[in-house]
Amino acid sequence: MTAPTSKRKRVAKPPEERRKDILDASVEVFLRKGIADAKIEEITELAGVSKGTFYLYFKTKEEAAAAAWERHLNVFAEVGEAILGDTEVPIDVRLVDAMESLCRFSLRHADIHRALYDAAGAEQVKIAANERLIRLICDAVGSGVDAGDLRCAHPEMMARALYHGFCGAVTDAVTGFVPIDHDEVIQTAAEMTRATFGLS
C-alpha cells in the first residue's frame, strides 16, 4: 500500500502581505533579468501565487516595477525621517548621521536603483522622495537655528544645495558614471554637511 502523496497547501495571506510577496519576487526577477526580459510567470512562481493573483494587484510587470521603485524610495525617505525626527539627539549629530545613512542606503541598494529606475513614473517618485527629505532637513535646521544650536541664514536653500550635491555624487557612484570609492562618498557627505552648517 503506497502512502498518499501530500499536496502543497495554499496559504491564505492578508492582501498587504501577498502584495509584498509579489513585489519582493518582482524585484528579485528584475535584478536578474531586467524589467524588459522578465516574465510574469517567473514572478508568480517565485512568489508562490497564480497569474490570476498577480493580476489582482498589478495590471502589468511594469506596474509592479513602478510600485517596487516607489516602495524602495519610501524606505529610503524613512531612513532620513527616523534620524532627523529624533529630537533627543543633538542637531549636529542628526544632520551628519542622516546624510551618511542616506548615502549608505543608496550605495547598498545600488542594484535596485539600476534595475528599477526605468520604471514608469520613476523620476516623479524620486522627486517626491527628494522633496520630502529636503523639507525634513530644512525643518531640522530651522529648529536648530531657533534653539541657538546652529547659525544658518537660509535653511531651505542650504538644505537643498547640500541634498542635491549629495544626490549627484551618489548617483555617479551608483550608475558607475565615474568610478568613485563608496567609503569616500560617505565621508564626503559628512564633510559637506559639517561645512554647509558650520558644524565642528
Side-chain angles (χ1 to χ4, degrees):
M1 187 177 198
T2 57
T5 57
S6 59
K7 281 191 175 180
R8 198 163 118 191
K9 210 173 191 181
R10 191 173 290 278
V11 179
K13 290 186 177 182
E16 276 311 302
E17 196 176 331
R18 184 67 75 196
R19 185 177 188 272
K20 179 184 180 301
D21 288 346
I22 295 170
L23 282 180
D24 290 345
S26 298
V27 170
E28 195 171 324
V29 174
F30 296 148
L31 286 173
R32 283 201 316 258
K33 305 193 76 174
I35 298 170
D37 293 330
K39 291 184 169 51
I40 288 174
E41 291 84 355
E42 295 169 308
I43 295 169
T44 56
E45 184 178 344
L46 192 58
V49 300
S50 66
K51 280 183 77 173
T53 300
F54 177 92
Y55 289 120
L56 285 175
Y57 294 90
F58 306 106
K59 293 186 178 107
T60 62
K61 63 182 178 179
E62 289 79 13
E63 190 176 296
W69 173 251
E70 184 171 14
R71 181 182 69 168
H72 173 67
L73 284 189
N74 278 336
V75 174
F76 170 70
E78 285 161 9
V79 168
E81 195 168 36
I83 295 167
L84 291 166
D86 186 358
T87 55
E88 297 296 312
V89 177
I91 183 62
D92 56 335
V93 176
R94 274 185 281 155
L95 287 168
V96 171
D97 188 16
M99 295 308 289
E100 287 181 330
S101 297
L102 290 169
C103 257
R104 281 193 197 92
F105 181 94
S106 299
L107 296 169
R108 193 178 298 127
H109 298 94
D111 54 347
I112 292 178
H113 183 104
R114 289 191 296 266
L116 298 180
Y117 189 73
D118 289 334
E123 188 62 24
Q124 288 79 8
V125 172
K126 181 183 171 189
I127 289 168
N130 287 348
E131 287 301 315
R132 178 177 166 188
L133 283 163
I134 288 167
R135 176 50 48 200
L136 288 166
I137 294 166
C138 178
D139 290 347
V141 171
S143 298
V145 170
D146 291 344
D149 298 325
L150 290 178
R151 292 181 66 188
C152 182
H154 307 287
E156 180 161 356
M157 284 309 299
M158 294 299 267
R160 195 168 287 281
L162 170 69
Y163 185 83
H164 283 302
F166 141 77
C167 261
V170 170
T171 299
D172 285 347
V174 162
T175 59
F177 178 70
V178 288
I180 300 177
D181 179 82
H182 287 191
D183 289 337
E184 188 180 333
V185 174
I186 294 164
Q187 271 184 336
T188 305
E191 289 169 16
M192 281 176 64
T193 305
R194 291 189 187 99
T196 300
F197 299 113
L199 308 174
S200 57

